């Protein structure tokens, strides 16, 4: 049977040879899964900056769904979503400033982070 290669991004395995590995690593499914994985670790400021430069997706605003999903070049965020994201960015900046000044981190910061992380993970899994 030979050696098998397991892709952590795609959660699948296949026979490990040069042709199969190259075909998989350049495949659309693998590239999408890899992008989704790394998007989980982006900070809110980068997401906000990217979303503000995009135009709103008309189909998503009309129907609530888009055929392109996370690969759509238009924004799927509403004005309320952008406001929440900008408030989150401001909160993160204030906490960084407090940490740089040597002040203690306010209680509950870890719980807030865990809650935000859980929301990002559930949103990524739904896409």
């Amino acid at each position: 049977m030979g050696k098998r290669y397991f892709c952590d991004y795609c959660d699948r395995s296949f026979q490990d040879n040069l042709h199969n590995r190259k075909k998989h690593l350049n495949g659309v499914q693998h590239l999408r899964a890899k992008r989704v994985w790394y998007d989980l670790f982006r900070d809110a400021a980068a997401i906000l900056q990217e979303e503000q430069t995009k135009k709103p997706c008309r189909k998503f605003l009309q129907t609530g769904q888009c055929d392109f999903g996370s690969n759509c070049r238009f924004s799927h965020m509403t004005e309320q979503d952008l406001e929440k994201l900008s408030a989150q960015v401001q909160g993160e900046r204030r906490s960084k400033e407090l940490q740089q000044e040597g002040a203690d981190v306010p209680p509950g910061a870890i719980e807030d982070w865990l809650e935000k992380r859980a929301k990002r993970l559930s949103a990524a899994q739904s896409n």
Side-chain angles (χ1 to χ4, degrees), residues 28 43 46 59-60 67-68 72 81 99 110 113 117 121 127:
V28 175
D43 61 336
K59 182 157 184 160
F60 186 79
D67 296 334
F68 296 102
C72 185
D81 293 336
Q99 286 178 348
I110 294 173
W113 180 85
R117 180 176 178 267
L121 288 172
N127 287 338

Side-chain angles (χ1 to χ4, degrees), residues 63-113:
T63 63
Q65 292 183 345
C66 177
D67 296 334
F68 296 102
S70 62
N71 294 327
C72 185
R73 65 180 181 154
F74 298 106
S75 176
H76 291 171
M77 288 193 156
T78 62
E79 291 295 323
Q80 294 85 8
D81 293 336
L82 289 173
E83 289 173 8
K84 289 178 186 177
L85 195 56
S86 64
Q88 180 182 348
V89 169
Q90 292 298 328
E92 288 175 0
R93 284 183 184 155
R94 275 181 267 160
S95 66
K96 281 184 182 179
E97 290 172 359
L98 288 174
Q99 286 178 348
Q100 289 176 352
E101 292 173 2
D104 290 334
V105 177
I110 294 173
E111 288 80 12
D112 292 339
W113 180 85

